[in-house]
Amino acid sequence: MSGRVVLAYSGGLDTSVAARTLREERGLDVVAAFVDLGQPFDAEAVRDRAAAAGAKLHVIDAKEEFAEGFCLPAIHANALYEGKYPLVSALARPLIAAKVVDVARQAGAGFVAHGCTGKGNDQVRFEATFAALAPDLGVIAPVREAALSREQAIEIAARYGIPVATEAKTYSIDENLWGRTAETGPLEDPWAEPPADAFGITADAREAPDEPAEVVVGFEAGRPVALDGEPLPLTALIARLAAVGGAHGFGRVDMIENRLVGIKSREVYEVPGALALILAHGDLEDLTLERDLAHEKAGLERRWAEGCYYGQWYGPLHAALRSFMAEAQRDVTGEVRLRFFKGSCTVVGRRSPRALYDVSLATYDGTADRFDHTQAAGFVALWSLPLKTWAARDRAGGAGGTGGGSGGAGVTGGSGRAGGA
Ligand code: ARG
């Protein structure tokens, strides 16, 4: 096996130290793969740190692939883990891991590595993806293995002249096009309200504008294609909607979450774009999906979100669920009007050329009504027939106790228990 490793590199302290120790302690030739998924970053700083860490840097722009291949399917599935979390990190890890594998193939590496600790979900997502895509490669988890304190990591960085920020770090942050996550520090007390500095991309609703903003989101077959009639590529559309929603204080989620490794954790998310798109998309589905498809889909959406959260993106169940969701999108075409105001996002209108809503069936205006009321009586009678039959039997059985079934039971019971009574 080649003595080369490709490390998923964030450009931060932990992965920089990991890169250096992989080289110093294991004698590996280290390639750092930095995957741009729309997180803010200083390209020069990333380059300098990778160099000081002794790693060859690959920067991969995967923003569009992330939007098309991961965020779009998540919109189709209205994907929210535990009904609240739009899977910001969970969607990103399989793509980052896949890019690491690509680089490993190009570089002829025998190992892949990630900088996750042993307590989180991300280690699972990386390694499950490596298992699915590259079972032949060795996997190294240097951060999990070394379990360094922040002070120790800073000391190692200083020893090798790796230029990292050394001021106290309050939160553990992850960010991409789909949103921003914050954990640890003062957030570990679930009773304490998140401090203002835990947030990065949304305004405090109390300080949001006094005038609401309305945005019309256009969809074609489940894909958001336009804002206020202006066609936009998906990455730009997500970012722009997030900016509008965030400015109005929308998109903050404060939740207690069940991690895959069995820990409950307090999480603070900022997901204005993701939540607004899921809200709008789900509403358009309400207008356009046939009832039984809509009901069945809702159950599978939960499974979809769990599979993604659990790192099973490249497994066969998740692929099949994605196909189901994509198939369900055929008629999800139309427009949804959203209103952002002081931390809320409300659907205030929707329309579709593929709507199943039929006002001539729904109306209570007698003259316009096309619904055949005479059919309702027969439908209701047959619908109620099983209940009527059941109720009649039990009423008869309970009153007389002389029905065929209960009579038999009575005989057996009587003979068996005669002595004891
Ligand atoms: N709890 C979230 C998840 O499991 C967020 C994880 C954030 N990851 C991170 N390395 N800070 O998806």
Side-chain angles (χ1 to χ4, degrees):
M1 221 176 232
S2 129
R4 180 170 292 161
V5 60
V6 179
L7 168 71
Y9 185 60
S10 72
L13 172 66
D14 289 341
T15 49
S16 298
V17 167
R20 190 76 211 195
T21 50
L22 283 169
R23 182 183 145 117
E24 300 301 326
E25 290 169 16
R26 302 187 198 230
L28 291 167
D29 179 21
V30 181
V31 178
F34 178 95
V35 185
D36 175 4
L37 297 181
Q39 70 276 36
F41 67 95
D42 175 347
E44 206 173 312
V46 170
R47 227 178 305 126
D48 292 348
R49 287 177 195 163
K56 183 166 183 290
L57 179 67
H58 278 243
V59 176
I60 299 142
D61 178 354
K63 290 192 285 289
E64 197 174 322
E65 203 174 333
F66 183 54
E68 297 291 336
F70 295 82
C71 301
L72 182 59
I75 294 168
H76 291 168
N78 302 315
L80 297 171
Y81 179 65
E82 296 185 335
K84 297 178 194 165
Y85 166 47
L87 299 160
V88 175
S89 308
L91 286 167
R93 294 303 176 277
L95 178 54
I96 298 170
K99 292 297 172 194
V100 166
V101 168
D102 286 350
V103 174
R105 296 302 185 206
Q106 288 160 28
F111 299 92
V112 285
H114 62 76
C116 305
T117 71
K119 295 187 78 165
N121 297 311
D122 290 333
Q123 56 177 338
V124 182
R125 298 167 184 153
F126 270 110
E127 292 184 39
T129 302
F130 293 148
L133 301 185
D136 55 308
L137 297 179
V139 178
I140 314 175
V143 172
R144 184 173 67 202
E145 285 166 27
L148 300 174
S149 67
R150 187 168 165 81
E151 294 67 40
Q152 289 170 312
I154 288 172
E155 193 194 302
I156 296 173
R159 193 186 316 153
Y160 292 107
I162 302 173
V164 288
T166 50
E167 70 269 17
K169 196 175 129 220
T170 318
Y171 307 102
S172 165
I173 304 289
D174 187 32
E175 189 170 350
N176 59 49
L177 181 66
W178 206 227
R180 183 179 188 270
T181 76
E183 298 164 314
T184 72
L187 304 177
E188 286 180 358
D189 175 359
W191 177 252
E193 183 175 352
D197 69 352
F199 299 100
I201 59 168
T202 56
D204 186 323
R206 291 168 299 190
E207 282 148 30
D210 292 326
E211 289 304 312
E214 266 187 34
V215 180
V216 175
V217 187
F219 288 88
E220 262 168 40
R223 175 191 178 85
V225 292
L227 294 182
D228 292 326
E230 180 190 345
L232 288 169
L234 193 54
T235 49
L237 188 151
I238 294 169
R240 196 183 295 182
L241 198 58
V244 176
H248 284 268
F250 173 68
R252 293 185 173 185
V253 177
D254 174 351
M255 70 184 282
I256 306 297
E257 174 177 302
N258 289 291
R259 287 189 188 164
L260 184 52
V261 293
I263 299 169
K264 278 191 193 290
S265 69
R266 201 282 186 87
E267 307 279 333
V268 171
Y269 299 119
E270 291 174 279
V271 280
L275 287 188
L277 283 170
I278 289 171
L279 179 68
H281 174 263
D283 195 276
L284 191 58
E285 286 192 332
D286 293 342
L287 187 64
T288 54
L289 293 194
E290 182 274 332
R291 179 189 64 188
D292 289 285
L293 174 58
H295 289 182
E296 198 60 31
K297 182 172 182 288
L300 294 174
E301 285 172 356
R302 178 184 156 137
R303 200 67 192 82
W304 193 108
E306 285 171 357
C308 174
Y309 190 87
Y310 298 161
Q312 297 167 322
W313 185 269
Y314 289 103
L317 172 60
H318 211 269
L321 289 172
R322 292 198 300 276
S323 298
F324 174 89
M325 299 299 169
E327 167 65 24
Q329 298 308 301
R330 277 171 198 249
D331 297 306
V332 187
T333 295
E335 290 182 313
V336 179
R337 203 143 52 93
L338 297 178
R339 179 181 296 149
F340 296 99
F341 184 58
K342 300 263 184 214
S344 71
C345 176
T346 313
V347 174
V348 294
R350 72 288 281 161
R351 64 181 173 191
S352 167
R354 307 293 296 157
L356 293 175
Y357 175 84
D358 181 343
V359 72
S360 68
L361 291 177
T363 187
Y364 281 88
D365 171 351
T367 54
D369 194 0
R370 256 191 342 104
F371 183 82
D372 184 348
H373 292 246
T374 63
Q375 306 262 17
F379 167 75
V380 176
L382 295 188
W383 172 255
S384 312
L385 185 56
L387 279 178
K388 194 174 187 178
T389 309
W390 167 80
R393 179 201 63 191
D394 282 20
R395 212 177 309 111
T402 52
S406 58
V411 169
T412 318
S415 63
R417 302 190 177 211

Short mmCIF file of all heavy atoms in Angstrom, two decimals, residues 85 87-90 93 121-122 125 172-174 181 183 257 259 265 267 269 309, ligand 1:
data_model
loop_
_atom_site.label_atom_id
_atom_site.label_comp_id
_atom_site.label_asym_id
_atom_site.label_seq_id
_atom_site.Cartn_x
_atom_site.Cartn_y
_atom_site.Cartn_z
N TYR A 85 -34.23 19.54 11.82
CA TYR A 85 -32.87 19.87 11.35
C TYR A 85 -32.70 19.53 9.88
O TYR A 85 -32.79 18.35 9.50
CB TYR A 85 -31.87 19.10 12.22
CG TYR A 85 -30.45 19.03 11.69
CD1 TYR A 85 -29.80 20.17 11.23
CD2 TYR A 85 -29.75 17.83 11.69
CE1 TYR A 85 -28.49 20.09 10.76
CE2 TYR A 85 -28.45 17.74 11.24
CZ TYR A 85 -27.82 18.88 10.77
OH TYR A 85 -26.53 18.80 10.31
N LEU A 87 -30.29 19.01 8.05
CA LEU A 87 -29.20 18.10 7.66
C LEU A 87 -27.99 18.79 7.03
O LEU A 87 -27.30 18.20 6.18
CB LEU A 87 -29.75 17.03 6.70
CG LEU A 87 -30.86 16.15 7.29
CD1 LEU A 87 -31.66 15.46 6.18
CD2 LEU A 87 -30.28 15.10 8.24
N VAL A 88 -27.71 20.00 7.47
CA VAL A 88 -26.60 20.79 6.93
C VAL A 88 -25.29 19.98 6.81
O VAL A 88 -24.72 19.86 5.72
CB VAL A 88 -26.36 22.02 7.83
CG1 VAL A 88 -25.14 22.81 7.38
CG2 VAL A 88 -27.61 22.89 7.87
N SER A 89 -24.84 19.42 7.93
CA SER A 89 -23.57 18.68 7.93
C SER A 89 -23.76 17.28 7.36
O SER A 89 -22.85 16.73 6.72
CB SER A 89 -23.02 18.56 9.36
OG SER A 89 -22.96 19.83 9.97
N ALA A 90 -24.93 16.72 7.59
CA ALA A 90 -25.19 15.34 7.15
C ALA A 90 -25.22 15.23 5.64
O ALA A 90 -24.83 14.21 5.07
CB ALA A 90 -26.52 14.86 7.75
N ARG A 93 -21.21 15.74 4.38
CA ARG A 93 -20.14 14.76 4.61
C ARG A 93 -20.00 13.71 3.52
O ARG A 93 -18.88 13.40 3.11
CB ARG A 93 -20.28 14.10 5.99
CG ARG A 93 -20.08 15.07 7.16
CD ARG A 93 -18.72 15.75 7.11
NE ARG A 93 -18.55 16.75 8.16
CZ ARG A 93 -18.98 18.01 8.08
NH1 ARG A 93 -19.61 18.46 7.02
NH2 ARG A 93 -18.77 18.85 9.09
N ASN A 121 -21.48 12.60 14.82
CA ASN A 121 -22.03 11.86 13.69
C ASN A 121 -21.12 11.89 12.49
O ASN A 121 -21.17 11.00 11.64
CB ASN A 121 -23.36 12.51 13.27
CG ASN A 121 -24.41 12.44 14.35
OD1 ASN A 121 -24.65 11.39 14.92
ND2 ASN A 121 -25.03 13.58 14.63
N ASP A 122 -20.30 12.93 12.39
CA ASP A 122 -19.55 13.13 11.15
C ASP A 122 -18.55 12.01 10.88
O ASP A 122 -18.33 11.61 9.74
CB ASP A 122 -18.87 14.50 11.15
CG ASP A 122 -19.88 15.65 11.02
OD1 ASP A 122 -20.95 15.41 10.43
OD2 ASP A 122 -19.60 16.75 11.51
N ARG A 125 -20.41 9.33 9.15
CA ARG A 125 -20.73 9.67 7.76
C ARG A 125 -19.51 9.53 6.86
O ARG A 125 -19.61 9.02 5.74
CB ARG A 125 -21.29 11.09 7.70
CG ARG A 125 -22.58 11.22 8.50
CD ARG A 125 -22.97 12.66 8.72
NE ARG A 125 -24.15 12.75 9.56
CZ ARG A 125 -24.44 13.79 10.34
NH1 ARG A 125 -23.62 14.82 10.40
NH2 ARG A 125 -25.53 13.78 11.06
N SER A 172 -18.24 25.21 18.27
CA SER A 172 -17.83 24.38 17.14
C SER A 172 -18.82 24.69 16.02
O SER A 172 -20.03 24.49 16.17
CB SER A 172 -17.90 22.91 17.53
OG SER A 172 -17.84 22.11 16.38
N ILE A 173 -18.30 25.19 14.92
CA ILE A 173 -19.15 25.68 13.82
C ILE A 173 -18.94 24.84 12.56
O ILE A 173 -17.81 24.46 12.25
CB ILE A 173 -18.77 27.15 13.46
CG1 ILE A 173 -18.85 28.06 14.68
CG2 ILE A 173 -19.62 27.67 12.31
CD1 ILE A 173 -20.23 28.36 15.17
N ASP A 174 -20.00 24.56 11.86
CA ASP A 174 -19.89 23.99 10.51
C ASP A 174 -20.81 24.81 9.62
O ASP A 174 -21.88 25.22 10.06
CB ASP A 174 -20.30 22.51 10.51
CG ASP A 174 -20.02 21.85 9.17
OD1 ASP A 174 -19.04 22.23 8.49
OD2 ASP A 174 -20.78 20.93 8.78
N THR A 181 -24.18 25.49 11.50
CA THR A 181 -24.44 24.77 12.75
C THR A 181 -23.52 25.31 13.84
O THR A 181 -22.39 25.71 13.57
CB THR A 181 -24.15 23.25 12.61
OG1 THR A 181 -22.72 23.05 12.62
CG2 THR A 181 -24.71 22.69 11.31
N GLU A 183 -22.34 24.39 18.01
CA GLU A 183 -22.41 23.48 19.15
C GLU A 183 -21.38 23.92 20.18
O GLU A 183 -20.49 24.70 19.89
CB GLU A 183 -22.07 22.04 18.73
CG GLU A 183 -23.00 21.43 17.71
CD GLU A 183 -22.41 20.18 17.03
OE1 GLU A 183 -21.24 20.22 16.62
OE2 GLU A 183 -23.12 19.20 16.93
N GLU A 257 -30.98 17.20 20.11
CA GLU A 257 -30.95 16.25 19.00
C GLU A 257 -30.37 14.90 19.45
O GLU A 257 -29.47 14.86 20.28
CB GLU A 257 -30.07 16.87 17.92
CG GLU A 257 -29.74 16.04 16.72
CD GLU A 257 -28.91 16.88 15.74
OE1 GLU A 257 -29.38 17.95 15.31
OE2 GLU A 257 -27.77 16.47 15.43
N ARG A 259 -28.04 12.13 18.61
CA ARG A 259 -26.96 11.72 17.71
C ARG A 259 -26.97 10.21 17.53
O ARG A 259 -27.43 9.48 18.41
CB ARG A 259 -25.60 12.12 18.31
CG ARG A 259 -25.33 13.59 18.24
CD ARG A 259 -23.89 13.85 18.64
NE ARG A 259 -23.68 15.29 18.77
CZ ARG A 259 -22.64 15.83 19.38
NH1 ARG A 259 -21.70 15.05 19.91
NH2 ARG A 259 -22.51 17.12 19.46
N SER A 265 -27.63 15.98 22.20
CA SER A 265 -26.85 17.20 22.21
C SER A 265 -27.73 18.40 21.90
O SER A 265 -28.77 18.29 21.26
CB SER A 265 -25.69 17.13 21.22
OG SER A 265 -26.19 17.13 19.91
N GLU A 267 -28.20 21.71 19.92
CA GLU A 267 -27.71 22.22 18.65
C GLU A 267 -28.40 23.53 18.31
O GLU A 267 -29.60 23.69 18.55
CB GLU A 267 -28.04 21.23 17.52
CG GLU A 267 -27.56 19.80 17.77
CD GLU A 267 -26.10 19.59 17.45
OE1 GLU A 267 -25.57 20.30 16.59
OE2 GLU A 267 -25.49 18.69 18.07
N TYR A 269 -28.98 25.87 15.01
CA TYR A 269 -28.82 25.93 13.55
C TYR A 269 -29.36 27.25 13.02
O TYR A 269 -30.31 27.82 13.56
CB TYR A 269 -29.60 24.79 12.89
CG TYR A 269 -29.13 23.42 13.31
CD1 TYR A 269 -29.99 22.53 13.95
CD2 TYR A 269 -27.82 23.02 13.07
CE1 TYR A 269 -29.55 21.27 14.34
CE2 TYR A 269 -27.38 21.77 13.45
CZ TYR A 269 -28.26 20.89 14.09
OH TYR A 269 -27.82 19.66 14.46
N TYR A 309 -28.93 11.32 7.84
CA TYR A 309 -28.30 11.65 9.13
C TYR A 309 -27.34 10.54 9.58
O TYR A 309 -26.29 10.80 10.15
CB TYR A 309 -29.40 11.86 10.18
CG TYR A 309 -28.92 12.43 11.49
CD1 TYR A 309 -28.83 13.80 11.69
CD2 TYR A 309 -28.57 11.58 12.54
CE1 TYR A 309 -28.38 14.32 12.89
CE2 TYR A 309 -28.13 12.09 13.75
CZ TYR A 309 -28.04 13.46 13.92
OH TYR A 309 -27.59 13.98 15.12
N1 ARG B 1 -25.36 17.76 14.87
C1 ARG B 1 -25.25 18.08 13.50
C2 ARG B 1 -25.09 16.83 12.67
O1 ARG B 1 -24.76 15.82 13.18
C3 ARG B 1 -24.17 19.09 13.24
C4 ARG B 1 -22.79 18.57 13.18
C5 ARG B 1 -21.79 19.66 13.00
N2 ARG B 1 -20.48 19.13 12.72
C6 ARG B 1 -19.35 19.72 13.09
N3 ARG B 1 -18.24 19.09 12.79
N4 ARG B 1 -19.31 20.82 13.79
O2 ARG B 1 -25.33 16.82 11.49
#
